[in-house]
Amino acid sequence: MSFVLFSDSSSNITPDLAAEWDVRILSLHYELSGEEHPAFDERFDGRAFYDALRRREPVRTSMINSTLFAEAFEPVLAAGEDLIYIAMSSGISGTAHAAQMAADELMAKYPGRKALVKDTLAASFGEGLFAKKVSEMRAEGCSIDEASAWVDEHVQSMNQVFTVDDLMYLRHGGRISGITALVGTLANIKPILWGDTEGHIAMTDRMIGRKKSLKAVAERYARRVVDPESQTIAIAHGDCEEDANYLVDLIRRQFPGQRVLVRCYEPGTGAHVGPGAIALFFFGKARGEN
């Protein structure tokens, strides 16, 4: 009944969580000022990384290719085990496609074995919370097919709401248009962004000032969350823990006792959202519902 669980570093799963949830993390890499680093690294220093971005030091990220996926997956299948890989959104990266190519080739090589790639249409903890749930289901004795079906049924229920200090990082990474990026440079206007039904980043609102933008994120949570008491929600931040804790306080004023997981944005995704980004992830109304 058991199976091996994989995800990637863009899930924002830190080494301590990877150990707790028994999930194998495949690392994206980033290049900062000419030096290459793995995004999944217990030595990652969020303050130093985001300070480098504040100084406008050049940063580049690279996805995991199909060869690396095959190298990670094959030993599992060769040992007679099945696996499920929780992948970042195909709407912003080719990582899920690369994983599927490797999985298809390996399942042909090892008939009867399963290597299931699940495109979450999400990133950061929007991806990581799926891995958390699958880990829990596995511990309860659920089969790989049951876990896979649960992910499929809940992809559109994953809500990703975030705000950034500067849309330049998303524009430079090709995640958002130049016209939309201009909004984030005007008169302290802070955009409210979300992951749409296809896993793309879209603007849903704009606020004047940082505190108002954080309140807008909390208000969107209150409108859209489903069964808050039954879930752990998550916040990722671009080296702005004080603002992340402010958002936690806003949420707990309406939902006392809400379990909240807070971590610094990992560098692979953080390079695209930049310093000061705050993102909230939770299961709620389907993305297409108002």
Side-chain angles (χ1 to χ4, degrees):
M1 293 289 287
S2 188
F3 53 89
V4 176
L5 173 60
F6 284 90
S7 191
D8 57 64
S9 57
S10 66
S11 65
N12 229 118
I13 296 174
T14 47
D16 61 315
L17 295 175
E20 179 182 345
W21 300 345
D22 191 16
V23 53
R24 302 183 188 182
I25 302 297
L26 301 178
S27 187
L28 283 77
H29 284 73
Y30 66 98
E31 184 180 292
L32 181 63
S33 298
E35 293 187 13
E36 186 172 330
H37 308 272
F40 183 72
D41 189 344
E42 61 184 9
R43 299 166 298 177
F44 172 64
D45 184 338
R47 174 58 55 84
F49 175 77
Y50 287 102
D51 277 347
L53 295 190
R54 292 180 180 105
R55 294 192 298 269
R56 298 294 194 261
E57 293 185 24
V59 60
R60 297 176 58 187
T61 60
S62 59
M63 57 177 268
I64 306 166
N65 61 40
S66 58
T67 299
L68 294 176
F69 277 116
E71 290 174 352
F73 293 167
E74 184 162 17
V76 175
L77 303 182
E81 297 181 280
D82 296 326
L83 68 89
I84 186 169
Y85 165 58
I86 306 298
M88 71 184 299
S89 173
S90 60
I92 58 175
S93 173
T95 304
H97 177 68
Q100 190 64 63
M101 289 177 58
D104 289 343
E105 291 182 5
L106 289 170
M107 284 190 289
K109 183 176 180 180
Y110 297 95
R113 296 271 59 84
K114 295 177 180 178
L116 306 183
V117 176
K118 311 311 297 181
D119 180 0
T120 62
L121 298 179
S124 185
F125 276 125
E127 178 186 351
L129 290 178
F130 277 107
K132 179 180 185 296
K133 178 63 177 181
V134 170
S135 173
E136 293 168 347
M137 294 180 72
R138 179 181 57 184
E140 294 167 359
C142 293
S143 70
I144 189 172
D145 291 331
E146 289 171 321
S148 175
W150 192 93
V151 174
D152 291 340
E153 291 167 5
H154 290 82
V155 163
Q156 292 298 332
S157 298
M158 171 47 66
N159 283 242
Q160 308 168 94
V161 187
F162 63 109
T163 185
V164 297
D165 257 0
D166 192 336
L167 277 165
M168 173 194 74
Y169 298 95
L170 285 167
R171 180 172 60 83
H172 284 178
R175 266 57 175 188
I176 203 164
S177 73
I179 294 175
T180 302
L182 180 63
V183 173
T185 67
L186 299 176
N188 200 28
I189 293 176
K190 302 302 179 184
I192 307 300
L193 306 151
W194 75 307
D196 68 14
T197 57
E198 297 179 342
H200 302 134
I201 296 171
M203 184 182 299
T204 184
D205 205 350
R206 54 186 68 89
M207 309 300 295
I208 297 178
R210 177 69 161 179
K211 290 295 178 69
K212 287 185 178 180
S213 70
L214 295 175
K215 289 178 180 177
V217 171
E219 289 167 0
R220 192 170 183 87
Y221 172 75
R223 293 198 310 269
R224 298 188 57 81
V225 69
V226 174
D227 296 328
E229 67 282 351
S230 69
Q231 61 175 302
T232 296
I233 66 174
I235 294 172
H237 65 88
D239 188 35
C240 49
E241 188 172 5
E242 183 176 342
D243 285 346
N245 290 331
Y246 177 73
L247 178 56
V248 172
D249 289 341
L250 289 175
I251 291 170
R252 285 182 173 156
R253 288 176 193 174
Q254 295 190 68
F255 302 90
Q258 175 68 69
R259 299 189 302 275
V260 188
L261 181 64
V262 179
R263 290 288 190 279
C264 185
Y265 249 118
E266 54 79 29
T269 308
H272 296 285
V273 294
I278 292 278
L280 175 64
F281 306 91
F282 59 94
F283 289 103
K285 294 180 181 179
R287 301 185 198 190
E289 296 181 22
N290 292 325

